[in-house]
Every structure is written in C-alpha cells, then in structure tokens.
Amino acid sequence: MTPPQLEVDALVVGGGIAGMQSALDLADQGYQVALVERQASIGGKMISLSKVFPTLDCCSCITTPKMSAVAHHPNIRLLTYTEVESIGEQDGAFTARLVKKPRYVDEDLCTGCRQCEYACPVDLPNAFDRNLSAIRAICVPFSTAVPQKAVLDIEHCLLCGKCQKACPVDAIDFTQQPEPLEVRAGSIVLATGFETTPVDAKAEYGAGRFPNVIDGLTMERLLAPTGPYGHVLRPSDGKEPDSIAYVQCAGSRDQTLGVEYCSRVCCMYAIKQAMLLSGTLTLADITIYYMDIRTFGKGYEQFYKNAQAMGIRFVKGKVAKITEDEAHNLIARVELIEEGSQVVEWKHDLIVLSVGMLPGYRPEAVYGVPIADDGFVHTPSPNLSPTLTGRPGIFVTGTAGGPMDIVDSIVTAGAAAAEAAAYLETNGAARRRGAMAQQTRELVHA
Ligand SMILES: Cc1cc2nc3c(=O)[nH]c(=O)nc-3n(C[C@H](O)[C@H](O)[C@H](O)COP(=O)(O)OP(=O)(O)OC[C@H]3O[C@@H](n4cnc5c(N)ncnc54)[C@H](O)[C@@H]3O)c2cc1C
Ligand code: SF4
Ligand code: SF4
C-alpha cells in the first residue's frame, strides 16, 4: 500500500533550537516546511536548561514561545516521534521515507489532561531530569512539552488498562502500529544536534560510582525551577552542598577519549552555573578547576570577569583523580599549574564534570552527507558558506555541524534557511525554465 504523501519545500530534521529556528525562518518566507523530531516533544537540549549565558534569561521562558510558534505556524507541519528511514533523490527533489512511531495515544484525541499519568502505577526514571525524578509509563513527557500529548512506554507498561479507564476521551490505543509517511521536499536542513560525552568516560573521576559526581546537564536540572528537587541538593543524601567544584575539559581536548576538539560551551556553562549557584547557595564555596578558560563570544569575557568579582574561585590545575569518603564527600587530587605543579587534595560536597559535545546523530548512511574527522557533518566551505554540506540541497545547522552555543545555533539556523531558500529558488527556477523549454520544443514540433 502506498504510504500517505506530503509535498513541502523543505524538510528540517531535528526540533532543537537550531531546527526550530530554521523551520520558522523558512516558513516566515512562505515556504512549506515539514519538521521531523524523533522525540515525543520538540525543544532539544535547550528546553532542559535552567538559564542561558550570557544573558541569564530563563531558558524555559525563551524556548517555549519558539516551540509554540513552530507548532502553530500555518506553513509548518510538525512530525514528532518520527524518524527518517531513507532518502531518495529524483528530478531535483528529495523523497524521504519516514516512520511515525506509535505513541499508543491518538494525538488527535489527546488533550494532555494527564489523567492517564495519574492513574498509571508504573514509576520509571525520568531521563528529562537526568533520572533524579520519576515519570509514569504513560505521561506527557515534561510540563512544557510541545505537543502536549501523552506517550506510552510499551516496554515498561503492565497493560493493566488503568490509564485507558482514566482517559476521558478514549485516546489510548494499545494496538497502534508504526505509520509510514513519504515526504517530498526540495531541500533538507539537518539540525540533529549533539549528545554530551559520557560522564563516566574518565574512570579516575568516579562518575557512575560516586553519586555526587554529576555532569553539567544534571546541574542544569538541579538549578531549573522545574527541576527534580526544586532546589540544589546533592544526590547521595539530599544535603545542601557547601562546597561545589567544576572540572573543566572532562570529556573534550582529550586524546585518550578520542575527543581532541574544544567543545566551546563548557567553560561558559560552568561559569554560568557557578554564578547561579552563588545566587542560590549564598554561603557555598565554588571552585572551577581549569587548564584554559575559553570565553570566545560577545560579552563572554566580561561574564567571566563578573564571575571572578562574585568570588568564584578559578584554579588553574589538572584534576588527576577524585575519591570519596564514607559520607560520599569527594576529594579532588589536583596538580596546581601556577604553583610549581604542587599537588593538593581538596574536599568538596559535589563535583560537576564539564563534559563536552558529541554528534547527536550520524547522518551519513541515510542522508549521504560526508562526515568530518571529528564526527560532525562535514562543511566543505566553512568560511564562506558554513551551512553547506557535501551534498547539494542538504544544509546543516546548529551542533549537528560541530560544537556551538545557542547564539551560533540561531545564526547558523538563519544561514541554513537562507541557503535552502536560495537553493529552492535556483533549483525551482531551473526546473521551471526546463519545463518552459520543453513546452517551447513541443510547440515548435507541433
Ligand atoms: C550543560 C550545558 C549547558 C548549556 N548552557 C548553554 C547556555 O547557557 N547558553 C548557550 O548559548 N548554550 C548552552 N549550551 C549549548 C546548547 O545546549 C546548544 O548550543 C544548543 O542546545 C544546540 O541546539 P541544537 O538544536 O543544535 O541541538 P539539540 O538541542 O541537541 O537539538 C537536536 C534535536 O534533534 C533531534 N534529533 C537528533 N537526531 C534526530 C534524527 N535522526 N531525526 C529526528 N530528530 C533528531 C534531537 O532529539 C533534538 O531534539 C549548553 C550545553 C550544555 C551541555
Ligand atoms: S496500561 Fe500501562 S501505561 Fe496504562 S496504567 Fe497500566 S502500566 Fe500504566
Ligand atoms: S491520553 Fe487521555 S488521559 Fe492521557 S493526557 Fe491524553 S487525553 Fe488525558
């Protein structure tokens, strides 16, 4: 059976800030856009952050309106919980074969009332809160999710039917199957984002074994007003930490991990979190152990200076090892670079590893775009056209192309939309000229 078909100008893959912005920029110019997101909600990593450097705006307050604008834009067709399986190319257009994964909830009927969630007896670790809180086997993924529709985790579901009984609109359907869909698009924008380097990659830092060694995204959730505890508490015993340390480059610029590049955001997010912590835990000591501090963006150096002025301690030192005592307090063994390589051991209640960025998805097999040595999408013209990929008609934006912050993700989103629009015009105009020439030939020969 032929799957349902959708014809658009551009297919945007990934609904983080970069994909959302590209989709909006194209849609605002009148192009028809399909935005595909593999998760049940759009928003990407940004919607899980607390506040953003360098402005310290509330992240939820600035991301939610974008998510909503995408969902309500008349020129954007939003396809969540959907993945692209293959791409074909014919007559200057791409044909993408997509699969919409079963939510086991009828999206058209679901009102997001959460009655199913309250009725479900299964508690599962909440990945959105870095597993520090629980969610139910059926739930709306998080409070500001777009769309506000429930999704059921069939792997952990008991099939007890309690949610079905609780649902006032009979939206739950245990028999739902994956649904194929075909999208024909003139161009593609890849915005598949990043994942963080594994927190336990450096065994000597003890993450995974020591509950109070956490990563940057976990601290984002602890700092977020909607976070797991509503306050910064350390995971082992719920104690308010008096001494918090950051270990920089705990996943980047490290040959032993195969991640030789700088992830660009870790210095700034550590400084941001340290500033937020000193506002929340006014008496806490906050230390950042670093090799180099890289504050490359507009206003970022001033941000760093403000943090120093606030009393945050910056220690140029290499953390060799972290151990813990019986009370789960942590001891950092540090070689102090500026003190003649003196080795010290300092105690902290909580240590945050500033992990780096890895590609969120490897698109070479499905999209046929070349990948660079660092694993991100190869951009053959990084100076003049940084969003071009090695395949005409496919563009890249945000962290799919390499580590970057939100500011640069937004800038490349606009650039990718402009490149895609130019490609559509040239290609569309070429196709129109070809059709006119054919018509002329037919008239001449008639
Ligand atoms: C701890 C931490 C704190 C940070 N704080 C800040 C800050 O304060 N200020 C700042 O400027 N930057 C900050 N950043 C960086 C910021 O998070 C990124 O710059 C930004 O989120 C990148 O957006 P993106 O859209 O490129 O990627 P993502 O947010 O990763 O979005 C990618 C989206 O694509 C989807 N996707 C992936 N593969 C597929 C696929 N195959 N099909 C369909 N969908 C797919 C994903 O599910 C995701 O929704 C921080 C980063 C970290 C780790
Ligand atoms: S059927 Fe599954 S999802 Fe529904 S309430 Fe029971 S365990 Fe939860
Ligand atoms: S599935 Fe039913 S009960 Fe659950 S959120 Fe949707 S409408 Fe409400």
Side-chain angles (χ1 to χ4, degrees), residues 26 34 58 90 184 187 202 267 275 279 370 374 394 432 442:
L26 281 159
C58 155
Q90 210 186 4
R184 218 173 124 77
S187 67
K202 288 186 84 67
C267 285
M275 285 167 106
D374 59 10
I394 303 189
R432 277 197 298 278
E442 282 167 9

Side-chain angles (χ1 to χ4, degrees), residues 115-123 136-139 151-154 156-166 172 174:
Q115 294 305 316
C116 52
E117 195 174 319
Y118 306 142
C120 176
V122 180
D123 282 327
R136 296 281 160 80
I138 185 166
C139 62
V151 58
L152 186 151
D153 177 346
I154 201 76
H156 296 98
C157 168
L158 305 173
L159 296 176
C160 67
K162 288 187 177 163
C163 55
Q164 214 170 27
K165 284 199 199 91
I172 296 160
F174 293 106

Side-chain angles (χ1 to χ4, degrees), residues 393-417:
I394 303 189
F395 306 90
V396 65
T397 170
T399 50
M404 67 181 78
D405 61 1
I406 294 162
V407 176
D408 285 354
S409 297
I410 292 278
V411 171
T412 58

Side-chain angles (χ1 to χ4, degrees), residues 13-20 36-39 41-46 49 51-54 82-84 191-196 215-218 220 265 268-269 272-273 300 355-357 360-361 367 397-400 404-407 409:
V13 188
I17 188 62
M20 292 194 293
V36 181
E37 167 56 53
R38 67 178 170 189
Q39 301 290 342
S41 169
I42 51 173
K45 297 286 184 306
M46 188 174 167
L49 304 180
K51 297 193 173 176
V52 282
F53 64 75
T82 301
E83 293 200 32
V84 177
T192 48
F194 73 101
E195 287 303 331
T196 46
D215 67 4
L217 281 178
T218 309
E220 290 291 336
V265 296
M268 281 299 287
Y269 79 61
K272 167 193 77 176
Q273 292 183 357
Y300 291 9
V355 293
M357 283 186 172
Y361 171 73
Y367 296 87
T397 170
T399 50
M404 67 181 78
D405 61 1
I406 294 162
V407 176
S409 297

Side-chain angles (χ1 to χ4, degrees), residues 105 109-117 138 140 150 166-169 171-172:
V105 168
L109 294 177
C110 177
T111 59
C113 71
R114 300 190 149 191
Q115 294 305 316
C116 52
E117 195 174 319
I138 185 166
V140 176
C167 178
V169 293
I172 296 160

Side-chain angles (χ1 to χ4, degrees), residues 1-31:
M1 209 174 71
T2 331
Q5 293 184 338
L6 179 65
E7 182 127 5
V8 291
D9 295 306
L11 173 69
V12 177
V13 188
I17 188 62
M20 292 194 293
Q21 189 61 49
S22 263
L24 286 168
D25 286 348
L26 281 159
D28 285 346
Q29 294 175 64
Y31 293 104

